[in-house]
Amino acid sequence: MSFLGLKKLDWYIMKKFIMTFFMALLLIIVIVIIFDISEKIDDFVEKEAPLRAIIFDYYVNFVPYFINMFSPLFVFITVIFFTSRLAANSEIVAILSCGISYHRMMVPYMISAALIAALSLNLNLFVIPRANADRIQFEKRYTKSKAQASSRNIHYQIAPGQFVYVESFSSWNNTAYRFTLEEVENNRIVSKTTAETAQWDSTTASWKLLNYFTRAYGEGVLSDRIIESGSQKDTTIALTITDFYHNNKTVETLAYKQLNDLIETQNLRGDANVMYSEIEWHKRWALPFSAFVLTIMGVSLSSRKKRGGIGFNLGIGIALSFSYILFLKFSEMFVYTGALPPGVALWLPNIIFTIIAAILYKVAPK
């Protein structure tokens, strides 16, 4: 049993870790699905959702989303639970008495955490975006939650030197009101097209401008002139209807490459909605890293035998894991308010909990 240098004890701990983790997942998922059904059953009946769509479009796609969202909770409770049992049965005392150091005992724990982190990362990058697309589409059709579109005072740089301003946008009829398109060269406006409304035409993938006029600007102060006007005109620009719907829900449906492309495009345009994309990007990487941090914390807290048994350790584990998840959600508010950039805000919980884990790990062997 020395495959990859691992001993029988390593395989024993890894088996306990992984099996307990997936058993906790299965138990919690069943409970959550039951509660979710009881909450949404009225919507399903009212909107006549087919049973096949409920099972395969919603709940099959809901499971990986839920697993990943609460993976820190599952990891922490798993480590606390089975490590406390090892300590209660004096198995950890026996391990350390055999000459195995506390640091060496952590090796199978960290390998197991790496496997869970790799699973979470693959779910984040490849599986969950595709699953979210079907799940969110189902929610839009059969539940009361609706996607919200950007609506007021929208400014975009859609291409170098090309700017769009929209006073308001209606998601009901896919129409932009008080539409303005400006062309800029050498920091000077050379032309401006304005229209009362711009309506999206899905058949031609273009905007239909109503009551428009185009004004050209020369070098002089009074050199502007109207070169074109009319009641209707079709125009194609690097702006589509989907650009008005990129919020915290829609970015969850984008594959990794699509998300990177969207962030690049939104940064070019100066789109305020880029914060949703950047939050999603950092969350996909930060969440799997928590498996390492919470594993170290869990072992450090539960490796010593306590008089109260595993109940006390489980209570601490649940409290700390929920505090991590709440902190991760709360840190997003720092981005929305502009207090912190997404890269700092989304990694802040990991940084703080890493410091706590380091302190606990240093104290634990003593």
Side-chain angles (χ1 to χ4, degrees), residues 275-276 278-279 330-343 345-346:
M275 65 179 177
Y276 298 119
E278 292 179 337
I279 286 172
F330 184 72
S331 65
E332 296 180 18
M333 300 305 299
F334 294 133
V335 184
Y336 298 143
T337 59
L340 290 174
L346 271 296

Side-chain angles (χ1 to χ4, degrees), residues 28 39 44 83 102 163 201-202 307 325 343 363:
I28 299 296
E39 180 185 351
F44 294 161
T83 305
Y102 196 86
F163 299 83
D201 187 344
S202 59
R307 182 175 298 177
I325 294 172
V363 174

Side-chain angles (χ1 to χ4, degrees), residues 25-214:
L25 276 182
L26 181 61
L27 178 63
I28 299 296
I29 286 171
V30 171
I31 294 173
V32 168
I33 288 177
I34 291 173
F35 276 99
D36 193 71
I37 290 175
S38 65
E39 180 185 351
K40 294 186 171 67
I41 187 67
D42 291 339
D43 290 340
F44 294 161
V45 173
E46 179 184 345
K47 299 192 177 181
E48 300 180 351
L51 180 61
R52 179 181 177 83
I54 293 173
I55 296 174
F56 294 100
D57 293 345
Y58 183 64
Y59 282 109
V60 168
N61 294 311
F62 173 80
V63 168
Y65 171 78
F66 177 83
I67 288 174
N68 198 60
M69 179 186 296
F70 290 96
S71 61
L73 172 65
F74 298 140
V75 169
F76 209 18
I77 290 179
T78 295
V79 174
I80 290 282
F81 180 74
F82 89 84
T83 305
S84 295
R85 291 191 62 184
L86 291 178
N89 296 331
S90 301
E91 293 181 73
I92 291 182
V93 174
I95 292 171
L96 299 177
S97 299
C98 293
I100 297 175
S101 69
Y102 196 86
H103 305 303
R104 177 61 182 82
M105 188 187 72
M106 288 296 300
V107 170
Y109 281 97
M110 299 310 293
I111 293 175
S112 301
L115 293 175
I116 293 173
L119 172 63
S120 176
L121 186 60
N122 277 278
L123 287 175
N124 270 337
L125 298 183
F126 305 111
V127 177
I128 291 178
R130 191 182 312 135
N132 280 343
D134 294 335
R135 178 181 60 83
I136 292 174
Q137 188 64 31
F138 177 92
E139 289 176 342
K140 288 169 60 179
R141 184 173 181 181
Y142 295 112
T143 67
K144 293 177 182 178
S145 59
K146 296 184 182 295
Q148 298 295 321
S150 304
S151 56
R152 304 291 301 180
N153 297 324
I154 303 161
H155 297 262
Y156 286 152
Q157 178 177 315
I158 58 176
Q162 195 172 47
F163 299 83
V164 164
Y165 168 73
V166 173
E167 184 177 287
S168 63
F169 176 78
S170 172
S171 58
W172 180 71
N173 57 3
N174 290 336
T175 299
Y177 296 92
R178 302 292 184 184
F179 174 91
T180 301
L181 175 65
E182 295 179 345
E183 300 280 350
V184 177
E185 292 181 5
N186 298 322
N187 297 320
R188 183 177 62 84
I189 297 177
V190 296
S191 69
K192 177 190 289 187
T193 299
T194 60
E196 288 186 7
T197 62
Q199 189 170 34
W200 177 252
D201 187 344
S202 59
T203 58
T204 60
S206 63
W207 294 94
K208 184 178 293 183
L209 305 184
L210 301 180
N211 297 328
Y212 75 96
F213 63 87
T214 300

Side-chain angles (χ1 to χ4, degrees), residues 80 84 87 301-304 306 309-318:
I80 290 282
S84 295
L301 287 169
S302 57
S303 57
R304 180 176 296 181
K306 292 182 175 64
I310 66 174
F312 179 75
N313 288 338
L314 276 176
I316 294 178
I318 292 173

